[in-house]
Amino acid sequence: MNDFLNVETWSGKTRQEENFPVGSLAIAREFRAPMHCFYNFARNADDIADSPALFPDDKIHRLDVMEDVLLGRREDGSPSALALRASLAETGVSPVHATELLIAFRQDAVKLRYETIDELYDYCRYSAVPVGRYVLDLHRESHEARSSSDALCISLQILNHLQDCAKDLAELDRCYLPQALLEHFNTSVAELRRPAETPGMRRVFITLLDRVDRLNHAATELPNVVSNRRLRLETAIIGRLAKRLAQRLVDNDPLAGRVKLTKSDAVLAVLTSIPSLI
């Protein structure tokens, strides 16, 4: 396969369009640029994995090029990986978090179904957990914070899967909802193509949201174990937004329309998180 001058296929989505803040003003200025650099790398890799115009082997080749640039095995082909490589050298953070993300994106290129909740959690270990661990390492936080950070990241990932379950199937024929869970409630992937959820699909959603509630509960410890005051605020805000989005998904049907956070949700999350600075 031929190499590309630039393997990236940016979708145009920016960090301002994400559900949750990415290196927001809550974060100290010195850490924002590195976090944005990491986001740009992840965004471009995700866009490759989710491109409906690329074949699986093409996606994997492009992701391999990104890793080669990140690790210094080549100098061209991925501007976001080159920028992240420079950022990691400056901050002293290991590239392992970025290379672990690529494991998930390579999986997205070839895997369309998940049999069990354990399989889904294993995917989240590579698609979401490395983001939180990168942020902790960037802030020189101790490994004590990893457990609650991992829980928050997995919660955010599952919430995103629930939000986009109909879109993922329609555009990519991909479904993250565990097949065993669908079968248990006598429903199927095909029902995600309906304009509204069935009772069986609602039970699947609620079962996963129960898992999310447990993850969010475990994540409440995160602001308490983080030493950086500004990061405490950011993690408290994200935790509250995760709980709010989970409640919206309890109350609303993601097949009838995309369930999302509102500006009032964001304002309330900020206001209720301010005590975490103390």
Side-chain angles (χ1 to χ4, degrees):
M1 183 179 296
N2 293 329
D3 286 340
F4 301 87
L5 182 61
N6 181 355
V7 300
E8 296 173 4
T9 60
W10 182 48
S11 64
K13 186 174 182 179
T14 67
R15 55 190 173 81
Q16 286 81 11
E17 299 172 71
E18 299 291 344
N19 270 329
F20 302 94
V22 179
S24 72
L25 293 177
I27 293 292
R29 183 186 297 273
E30 65 185 289
F31 299 121
R32 281 181 228 155
M35 288 175 67
H36 298 166
C37 219
F38 190 88
Y39 171 81
N40 289 338
F41 173 86
R43 175 77 269 148
N44 279 285
D46 195 19
D47 287 343
I48 289 171
D50 287 352
S51 172
L54 299 175
F55 290 109
D57 60 343
D58 190 356
K59 293 179 180 183
I60 291 173
H61 173 74
R62 289 170 183 254
L63 294 169
D64 287 346
V65 170
M66 291 189 74
E67 181 169 283
D68 286 344
V69 173
L70 178 70
L71 299 180
R73 296 192 288 249
R74 59 182 291 165
E75 297 299 321
D76 62 332
S78 176
S80 69
L82 192 62
L84 180 57
R85 188 172 96 197
S87 175
L88 294 175
E90 182 178 348
T91 60
V93 178
S94 168
V96 67
H97 310 302
T99 58
E100 285 187 342
L101 280 180
L102 293 177
I103 293 172
F105 295 138
R106 290 189 188 97
Q107 185 166 307
D108 277 336
V110 297
K111 188 174 176 66
L112 301 178
R113 300 289 185 269
Y114 288 78
E115 292 301 320
T116 65
I117 288 179
D118 285 344
E119 266 195 21
L120 177 59
Y121 273 44
D122 184 66
Y123 169 79
C124 294
R125 163 64 185 85
Y126 293 100
S127 67
V129 165
V131 178
R133 292 187 178 187
Y134 164 79
V135 173
L136 292 176
D137 284 359
L138 179 66
H139 284 78
R140 299 293 186 267
E141 296 291 341
S142 74
H143 283 194
E144 180 188 4
R146 281 195 172 187
S147 178
S148 48
S149 172
D150 292 355
L152 180 58
C153 289
I154 294 172
S155 164
L156 301 181
Q157 182 69 91
I158 294 175
L159 288 169
N160 183 253
H161 291 331
L162 291 171
Q163 280 182 297
D164 292 342
C165 57
K167 179 174 176 283
D168 286 338
L169 187 66
E171 296 183 1
L172 299 166
D173 190 32
R174 186 190 296 154
C175 179
Y176 294 100
L177 306 183
Q179 301 299 296
L181 203 55
L182 294 169
E183 292 172 8
H184 179 74
F185 290 114
N186 297 312
T187 185
S188 68
V189 171
E191 292 193 359
L192 292 175
R193 301 188 190 279
R194 291 175 176 263
E197 63 188 15
T198 60
M201 191 61 72
R202 171 49 33 181
R203 293 187 185 96
V204 171
F205 293 153
I206 290 298
T207 300
L208 289 172
L209 287 166
D210 284 344
R211 292 281 186 133
V212 166
D213 281 346
R214 278 178 262 170
L215 290 163
N216 285 339
H217 179 73
T220 57
E221 182 67 13
L222 184 56
N224 300 325
V225 295
V226 164
S227 60
N228 183 282
R229 292 179 70 249
R230 301 280 288 269
L231 185 58
R232 285 207 303 270
L233 176 61
E234 177 99 333
T235 55
I237 291 171
I238 294 173
R240 283 169 170 78
L241 289 174
K243 290 179 179 179
R244 185 57 189 150
L245 180 54
Q247 187 59 51
R248 288 198 176 278
L249 284 161
V250 168
D251 297 336
N252 296 278
D253 175 6
L255 302 190
R258 194 170 195 268
V259 179
K260 58 185 180 180
L261 294 164
T262 66
K263 289 184 179 179
S264 61
D265 290 327
V267 170
L268 184 61
V270 171
L271 292 176
T272 56
S273 298
I274 290 175
S276 66
L277 286 171
I278 300 173

